[in-house]
Amino acid sequence: MTMLKDRFAMADLTGGQMNAIVKKLGGHQGALRFLRDELKIVEAQPLKIDEVEPKKLLKLVTTVSVAATKIFTASDHFKVDTQKAAVRICSLGDNFKENLLGLSEGGCEATNIKVHKLLAHSSDLPIIEELADKCEIRLGQFFALLSKQGKGKKGVLLTNGKANVAYIRGVKGILWAVSAYWQTVSRGWLVVAVPTMDPTRWDPSYQILSR
C-alpha cells in the first residue's frame, strides 16, 4: 500500500524533475534534512511596486523662467570674449563649433526651464530616458540662462567648475549633450558638446536642464 501511495505522489513527475527537486533542496543531505523537518520551504512573496521601480537619477532643484525669443543665431552670441562681452566665454569645444555654432533657431514662447541635480554617475541615455519628452531645450534658451550669470556670479547655474548640461539639437538635427562650466582662472564659460551616445558618465552633483 505504501509503495502505491508513493507511486501516486510521483505520478506526474519525471525522473529529471525529481532530480532537480533534490538539487534545489541542497542535494542528498538537504533532501534528508527536509524529510526530517529540519529544512522549511517558504513561498516567495511578490515584490512591492516600490522595490521594482528603478531609482531616480534626478532631483528637481528649481525652475527658472526664460523670456520669449525671436530668431536666435548661435554665432552672434557664442563668441570667445572674457573682457567686454555680457556673457564671458573663454572657450568653445570643437564639437560645439562644428555642430551647433552654425545653428539658427526660430522664435519661441516664454517658458520655464527645470534644473535638476544628478544623484548618481550616469551616461546620457538613462538621463534622457528619465526626462522623456521633456529632455530637450533650445540653444537660445541655454544662452538665456548663461546670460543671467554672464560674468560668473552665483545663481541657478553652477559656477564652481561643475557642469550644467542640456540636451540640444544641432544643425543636422542630432541631439547633443551641451555643457557649460564656469572657469574661475579664465573668468569665463567653457562650452562644449558631446554625443549623447558617448558612454562617459557625468558626475553626481552636476546639473541637468530640461523643459
Side-chain angles (χ1 to χ4, degrees):
M1 181 64 71
T2 301
M3 184 177 295
L4 289 175
K5 288 183 178 180
D6 290 342
R7 289 179 179 176
F8 179 76
M10 297 185 295
D12 295 327
L13 295 175
T14 66
Q17 289 172 326
M18 288 297 299
N19 188 50
I21 291 172
V22 172
K23 286 184 178 180
K24 284 185 175 292
L25 289 172
H28 178 71
Q29 293 300 322
L32 293 177
R33 289 183 60 206
F34 175 71
L35 292 174
R36 294 195 298 265
D37 291 327
E38 295 173 2
L39 184 66
K40 300 293 184 183
I41 296 177
V42 179
E43 186 174 356
Q45 298 297 317
L47 291 175
K48 297 179 181 178
I49 293 178
D50 58 357
E51 293 176 334
V52 297
E53 287 184 349
K55 291 183 178 179
K56 296 292 185 181
L57 286 170
L58 304 172
K59 178 182 179 181
L60 181 63
V61 176
T62 189
T63 301
V64 58
S65 61
V66 173
T69 61
K70 296 182 179 179
I71 294 176
F72 179 84
T73 302
S75 59
D76 290 341
H77 297 85
F78 284 91
K79 298 179 179 181
V80 176
D81 182 351
T82 59
Q83 301 298 320
K84 299 180 180 180
V87 178
R88 306 290 170 87
I89 296 176
C90 64
S91 182
L92 297 173
D94 290 340
N95 277 338
F96 184 90
K97 289 187 287 188
E98 181 178 346
N99 296 282
L100 290 119
L101 196 58
L103 193 65
S104 183
E105 298 176 334
C108 64
E109 299 178 350
T111 189
N112 290 323
I113 301 297
K114 294 179 180 178
V115 182
H116 309 266
K117 177 181 177 180
L118 185 60
L119 300 176
H121 287 96
S122 179
S123 56
D124 291 303
L125 295 183
I127 298 172
I128 291 171
E129 183 177 357
E130 185 167 321
L131 292 172
D133 61 346
K134 302 297 182 182
C135 71
E136 296 182 36
I137 71 170
R138 291 192 175 196
L139 188 59
Q141 294 168 336
F142 188 66
F143 187 82
L145 293 179
L146 292 178
S147 299
K148 295 176 182 289
Q149 298 168 244
K151 299 179 181 179
K153 67 179 181 180
K154 291 188 179 298
V156 170
L157 299 181
L158 299 174
T159 54
N160 57 359
K162 296 183 178 181
N164 301 278
V165 184
Y167 297 106
I168 301 170
R169 293 204 177 270
V171 292
K172 297 180 181 179
I174 298 173
L175 191 65
W176 292 84
V178 179
S179 55
Y181 309 74
W182 177 256
Q183 305 292 287
T184 303
V185 175
S186 301
R187 301 299 299 168
W189 289 101
L190 164 64
V191 183
V192 299
V194 296
T196 55
M197 298 299 292
D198 193 309
T200 303
R201 300 191 300 170
W202 301 107
D203 290 340
S205 76
Y206 282 9
Q207 288 192 156
I208 309 295
L209 311 176
S210 74
R211 299 197 315 279

